Amino acid sequence: MARTKPDPWVPFFEIAQDPWSKIKEIKAKTGKKIIGHVLPDAPEELIYAAGAIPVAVAGAGIPISLAQSQIPSYSCSHGMGALELKLKGTLDILDGIIIPYVCDTTRNLYHLWRRLFPDVPCEFLRLPKKLGDPGASHYLKEEYLRISKWLSFITGQNVTEDNLSSSISTYNESRDQLKSAYLKMKTSPAVWSANRVIAVFESVFRFPRDEHLSLMRSLPWDVAGTDNTSRSKIYVRGKVWDPPEITGLFDELGLTLAGDEIVTGFRSVEVNTQACGDLFGSLVDRHMSMTPYTGYYVDPRKLVEDFLARVRSSGAQGVVFLNPKFCEAAAFDTPDFVNALKKNNIPCLVLETSSRGTSTSQIKLRLEAFGEILSGDLP
Amino acid sequence: MEPIKALKEIKKITLDYFTSAHMAPHNNKPVVYCNVFTPVELIYAMDMFPVYPENHAAIIGARKMAIELSSAAEGMGYVMDLCSYARCDIGWTKAGVSPTWGLPKPDLILVINCQCGTLTKWFEVLSRTYNAPMVLIDVPHSGNGEKDSAAEAYVRGQLDDLVKTLEKVAGKSLDESKFKEVIRLSRQASELWTRMLVMGEEVPSPMTVFDQFISMFPIVSQRGTEIAVQFYGNLVRELEDRVSQKKPAVPNERFRLFWDNLPIWPELGKLSSFLADRGAAVVTSIYTWAWSQLAVNEQDPLSDWTRQYLYTFNLNLDYRIEKYVELAELYKLDGFLFPSNRSCKWISQDVLALRDAITERTGIPGVIFEADQNDPRLYSFENLEKQIENFLELLVAKNHKA
């Protein structure tokens, strides 16, 4: 009897849906330290070079109950979700956690974490907000050096030039593969669906990179041709894929991702790190070159122009905003982005997302109507 | 309750200030939008005119125009979860009405982010609205307040650059002697402000934080001017008289309370009377203390500001707990009032941990209640009164037990 070939997508879905069980197994097997990092933009290469496994902590889709006793309900799902996971014991596996300074909520989350969970070492990644500023770059390099020392203290392994170089190479290789997967999604969405490809992206933040690379080799890279002609192309801006079912809805409704700015999406792979010379400086250069996260600062007037240029160059017919409820940075940016899109006749849909009170069916309905506008298939 | 006479001057000071603000472009004075902790002394020394969208918003709240103007902002797409100060200020650009006749257009927008991240995003909107250049002084959050030499170099470098930018916009160089004089006046105002705050330690207290909130305008926007020095000089003298005569701000002072967070501007008068009627004097607040620490020295003001931004105004939970515990003893506090302010997530998200830690350390209870600094649609004043009433009863029971 012929053996059925295993579905190559399954491991990615398993990791994305329940990363903590897998990480528990890996920790038991390898004895490696597990360093959580609240999204976005912790320098994973440094964590990896220090001999630990970086695992992203995101609150999207986490039902909130215990966290409400520690932080007011007008906090975003991501901050509350991270607290919820720890209060429920899910994050007990962590040997340390990095919380980046990207907004007031992550700043408060850091202080709350230290007070509530003194058993889990917590470090605050003091990200400068100015992108493209020489002073900010210099400061960030110093900050990476400081974080490296903290990581080495936890793992007992120094971040040397050799292991950082090796880590950067692994991450670059992984990003290149993910970029190829993204391209496949754009051209051959019947097989390389958004739901599948984004599961590959999501899982990479929650699994050792080298093992993830091995898993990616089993994917159906030989699928050729273009099967996206009847689909509407959308561009997505937001923090994370929230609700997690959103990519499945895109597929179901015939929407193809032409580009995105999600922190676990294309933004995470668009720039590689220079693997030679001043490696810490290269990590800084990469951070400064990525599409700006909403909490960072660039000339406000340029911010809108650049966004519009990215949307246009993606070839998208419309834009979907996934704005986490109570995320002030995203909510301040959105009206001017929307106005700029309207002026340029690019339709958009603003979805406010939260694990408290957002209905997936309602999102589906709105996406469906948006898809009809894009395709001109109006009743 | 006998009103403080010196406070009557505030109305004229505010009116004169906004008249001058609107006249600034006609007097060839570049208008600089800034936030409350920006080094306003530099702006005055450069003959520029500082304008505070935060003050504008607070006045809108106090004059009960917040619903109209924040609704206008919501109509522009700014969701109700955003800071109500920002919504009110942005809303006036659409609605065209405001108690200060709006604000003059800015030539430059300046923001320092040690206060909160919201201001940067709000000012970004203003930068686009007016097509005005913006300068962000980015202050990394120094974790738990420990020394961060790299951050000091980063912030200091930005302040050096700021001087160059101001010189460019003003079209002239910074006059060092004028700058020193402005700093001297600013320090004088700050010292008088601190003397005023310290008088709250007296029993009975000669003033409440509600009086402090009303008197804030010059220390925020006119540091470095004679106006602020004169106003606080008069105020301090009157309060000293009150202290010597044991004249209380709240007749029959029974409870001495602490106010955390920003004022609830639309309810200032009502809340003040409500508490005074029950013998509750709110004698100090973390908010008003901020301006007591803004003074710098003439020798190296940029380095002083660097350290202030990094280590003083960059609040962290541990620092707040220590500070509140210290104030509890100095001001002989009976209780803490913690508004959970939806508009200021930065200072409100850790309120549960803060309250618990302080009560654990001092044995002094605190009450948390839903509030908003400007938008009355986001809380119920009746519920707030009930919660405070119950809290005062708890204090009575506690005192009886003791």
Side-chain angles (χ1 to χ4, degrees):
Chain A
M1 202 169 81
R3 288 170 68 185
T4 324
K5 210 175 161 189
D7 182 339
W9 302 100
V10 168
F12 300 105
F13 282 107
E14 284 177 352
I15 299 164
Q17 279 155 14
D18 180 19
W20 305 106
S21 306
K22 292 274 175 195
I23 286 296
K24 210 170 181 179
E25 283 169 27
I26 292 167
K27 186 176 185 176
K29 202 166 72 184
T30 63
K32 286 194 172 185
K33 302 285 186 190
I34 309 296
I35 301 294
H37 58 97
V38 172
L39 292 168
D41 296 341
E44 289 174 281
E45 284 100 324
L46 287 180
I47 301 172
Y48 199 69
I53 299 169
V55 184
V57 177
I62 310 288
I64 304 295
S65 84
L66 301 173
Q68 294 189 71
S69 65
Q70 303 298 339
I71 191 166
S73 58
Y74 46 78
S75 306
C76 74
S77 293
H78 304 290
M80 291 191 95
L83 278 182
E84 183 74 22
L85 286 172
K86 179 63 182 129
L87 289 164
K88 278 198 323 200
T90 311
L91 301 184
D92 287 351
I93 191 171
L94 298 181
D95 297 289
I97 186 164
I98 294 175
I99 299 179
Y101 179 27
V102 291
C103 61
D104 296 333
T105 297
T106 56
R107 174 169 157 167
N108 282 325
L109 181 63
Y110 164 70
H111 291 294
L112 285 173
W113 190 285
R114 281 185 63 246
R115 182 151 284 271
L116 295 170
F117 316 119
D119 54 314
V120 182
C122 176
E123 194 41 89
F124 194 49
L125 176 63
R126 305 166 193 175
L127 291 172
K129 299 292 182 301
K130 281 180 167 175
L131 297 181
D133 177 274
S137 293
H138 182 77
Y139 178 71
L140 184 57
K141 187 175 162 185
E142 294 293 322
E143 184 58 6
Y144 283 165
L145 288 162
R146 191 183 68 83
I147 289 286
S148 297
K149 284 183 195 151
W150 177 79
L151 287 164
S152 302
F153 179 75
I154 290 180
T155 63
Q157 178 177 314
N158 285 335
V159 178
T160 63
E161 199 166 320
D162 280 349
N163 53 33
L164 182 54
S165 171
S166 160
S167 169
I168 287 172
S169 298
T170 304
Y171 271 76
N172 282 346
E173 197 185 337
S174 164
R175 282 192 281 259
D176 287 340
Q177 282 286 79
L178 288 161
K179 259 183 269 188
S180 302
Y182 203 87
L183 193 64
K184 283 274 184 197
M185 175 185 68
K186 291 208 255 185
T187 54
S188 311
V191 176
W192 291 76
S193 67
N195 201 31
R196 284 169 168 173
V197 171
I198 296 306
V200 177
F201 271 72
E202 283 290 311
S203 54
V204 83
F205 285 91
R206 295 158 175 91
F207 208 60
R209 282 273 168 161
D210 48 354
E211 291 184 41
H212 191 271
L213 261 167
S214 304
L215 288 174
M216 282 184 76
R217 289 193 190 101
S218 317
L219 293 175
W221 295 101
D222 50 354
V223 170
T226 301
D227 59 13
N228 66 348
T229 45
S230 62
R231 292 168 178 250
S232 299
K233 296 181 181 63
I234 56 165
Y235 190 88
V236 179
R237 181 177 163 89
K239 181 168 183 170
V240 293
W241 301 104
D242 185 14
E245 302 84 19
I246 193 95
T247 49
L249 292 179
F250 293 155
D251 293 330
E252 191 184 332
L253 300 169
L255 301 168
T256 293
L257 277 176
D260 75 81
E261 299 185 359
I262 301 288
V263 298
T264 53
F266 190 72
R267 178 183 178 273
S268 67
V269 300
E270 64 183 343
V271 186
N272 273 344
T273 310
Q274 192 80 256
C276 55
D278 171 10
L279 298 179
F280 279 89
S282 299
L283 289 172
V284 171
D285 289 344
R286 175 175 181 271
H287 177 83
M288 294 291 174
S289 316
M290 284 193 294
T291 298
Y293 176 66
T294 182
Y296 303 154
Y297 178 79
V298 291
D299 183 320
R301 295 164 293 176
K302 209 168 166 295
L303 183 79
V304 177
E305 287 166 25
D306 290 352
F307 170 69
L308 198 59
R310 291 193 296 273
V311 171
R312 278 191 175 133
S313 72
S314 74
Q317 295 157 269
V319 176
V320 175
F321 292 89
L322 298 179
N323 285 357
K325 188 161 174 63
F326 303 118
C327 173
E328 291 212 325
F332 271 115
D333 284 344
T334 301
D336 282 337
F337 284 170
V338 167
N339 288 337
L341 291 168
K342 276 185 186 165
K343 270 186 199 155
N344 287 275
N345 298 316
I346 302 171
C348 64
L349 173 68
V350 181
L351 296 172
E352 201 173 55
T353 64
S354 166
S355 53
R356 290 158 288 155
T358 305
S359 137
T360 309
S361 333
Q362 194 189 39
I363 286 179
K364 183 180 172 184
L365 201 66
R366 294 189 65 196
L367 270 177
E368 196 166 14
F370 186 61
E372 284 166 3
I373 291 170
L374 296 185
S375 63
D377 182 19
L378 295 168
Chain B
M1 209 164 54
E2 192 182 319
I4 300 168
K5 292 183 192 80
L7 290 181
K8 285 184 182 162
E9 193 63 17
I10 276 293
K11 199 171 177 181
K12 185 180 179 309
I13 289 174
T14 313
L15 195 69
D16 288 350
Y17 168 88
F18 281 105
T19 306
S20 303
H22 287 287
M23 288 307 290
H26 306 287
N27 294 328
N28 293 323
K29 278 183 179 256
V31 170
V32 183
Y33 279 14
C34 40
N35 63 304
V36 294
F37 293 148
T38 42
V40 66
E41 295 83 351
L42 270 173
I43 296 167
Y44 277 120
M46 295 292 300
D47 281 325
M48 300 167 110
F49 201 94
V51 166
Y52 294 79
E54 289 161 278
N55 276 0
H56 182 219
I59 293 171
I60 290 169
R63 296 288 177 86
K64 303 190 192 307
M65 290 179 74
I67 295 178
E68 181 183 356
L69 295 187
S70 47
S71 301
E74 287 149 29
M76 295 162 78
Y78 296 96
V79 296
M80 209 171 169
D81 300 324
L82 287 172
C83 163
S84 53
Y85 269 10
R87 277 183 287 127
C88 285
D89 179 56
I90 293 169
W92 105 263
T93 64
K94 172 90 176 168
V97 289
S98 119
T100 67
W101 320 288
L103 298 179
K105 284 183 182 170
D107 296 290
L108 180 73
I109 293 178
L110 169 62
V111 65
I112 294 197
N113 65 5
C114 59
Q115 196 177 331
C116 68
T118 300
L119 273 158
T120 310
K121 300 306 291 184
W122 165 11
F123 281 33
E124 283 180 26
V125 172
L126 298 177
S127 168
R128 288 190 290 269
T129 303
Y130 296 111
N131 193 25
M134 176 165 163
V135 173
L136 165 69
I137 305 293
D138 179 24
V139 181
H141 183 60
S142 55
N144 309 306
E146 64 269 23
K147 190 173 165 58
D148 184 345
S149 305
E152 285 181 25
Y154 177 40
V155 175
R156 174 60 204 248
Q158 293 177 81
L159 289 171
D160 287 330
D161 290 345
L162 172 65
V163 174
K164 289 176 202 150
T165 305
L166 291 174
E167 287 178 333
K168 206 173 148 191
V169 175
K172 63 179 179 184
S173 301
L174 176 66
D175 177 338
E176 286 294 336
S177 62
K178 188 169 185 184
F179 186 32
K180 283 185 178 165
E181 174 59 11
V182 172
I183 286 175
R184 191 187 63 76
L185 289 170
S186 173
R187 203 175 47 242
Q188 248 182 297
S190 190
E191 282 163 5
L192 287 165
W193 175 261
T194 308
R195 272 169 69 186
M196 177 194 81
L197 297 183
V198 169
M199 275 189 266
E201 291 177 19
E202 296 292 332
V203 181
S205 175
M207 82 185 307
T208 68
V209 295
F210 298 104
D211 302 315
Q212 293 171 9
F213 293 152
I214 293 166
S215 68
M216 273 172 60
F217 189 83
I219 197 69
V220 174
S221 56
Q222 287 167 306
R223 287 194 311 280
T225 68
E226 290 281 3
I227 298 164
V229 175
Q230 272 177 19
F231 172 73
Y232 292 113
N234 292 339
L235 181 57
V236 163
R237 274 189 293 279
E238 186 178 342
L239 291 174
E240 281 170 347
D241 281 351
R242 281 187 165 220
V243 169
S244 63
Q245 293 166 37
K246 292 258 172 211
K247 217 186 251 184
V250 169
N252 308 314
E253 181 183 287
R254 292 169 71 204
F255 312 104
R256 296 173 61 81
L257 305 177
F258 176 96
W259 183 271
D260 186 43
N261 221 302
L262 276 74
I264 306 173
W265 290 110
E267 317 295 349
L268 217 53
K270 254 164 59 179
L271 194 56
S272 167
S273 304
F274 173 82
L275 286 161
D277 289 349
R278 285 150 185 82
V282 187
V283 293
T284 191
S285 143
I286 190 76
Y287 186 61
T288 48
W289 266 103
W291 285 272
S292 71
Q293 301 163 85
L294 279 166
V296 289
N297 285 302
E298 290 97 326
Q299 292 74 22
D300 189 4
L302 269 58
S303 294
D304 287 351
W305 278 316
T306 298
R307 284 187 291 272
Q308 280 180 359
Y309 298 148
L310 273 164
Y311 309 123
T312 309
F313 302 122
N314 226 332
L315 282 183
N316 64 66
L317 184 54
D318 287 353
Y319 171 83
R320 277 172 85 188
I321 292 166
E322 291 307 321
K323 184 76 187 168
Y324 289 23
V325 168
E326 183 192 319
L327 292 174
E329 195 182 335
L330 285 173
Y331 284 81
K332 302 159 204 76
L333 297 176
D334 299 303
F336 285 83
L337 302 179
F338 292 102
S340 179
N341 181 358
R342 293 181 80 92
S343 277
C344 191
K345 296 176 180 65
W346 164 60
I347 208 163
S348 303
Q349 280 175 324
D350 53 8
V351 69
L352 293 150
L354 184 67
R355 194 264 313 262
D356 292 352
I358 290 162
T359 303
E360 194 184 310
R361 288 273 298 274
T362 63
I364 300 171
V367 62
I368 298 171
F369 47 89
E370 286 289 319
D372 190 88
Q373 66 210 33
N374 250 29
D375 191 341
R377 295 170 299 173
L378 296 174
Y379 60 87
S380 148
F381 189 71
E382 289 69 27
N383 281 352
L384 188 153
E385 281 181 326
K386 267 182 209 152
Q387 274 179 282
I388 294 179
E389 183 97 66
N390 290 342
F391 180 65
L392 296 178
E393 281 169 17
L394 180 142
L395 292 184
V396 172
K398 185 173 173 277
N399 288 345
H400 276 305
K401 207 173 162 189

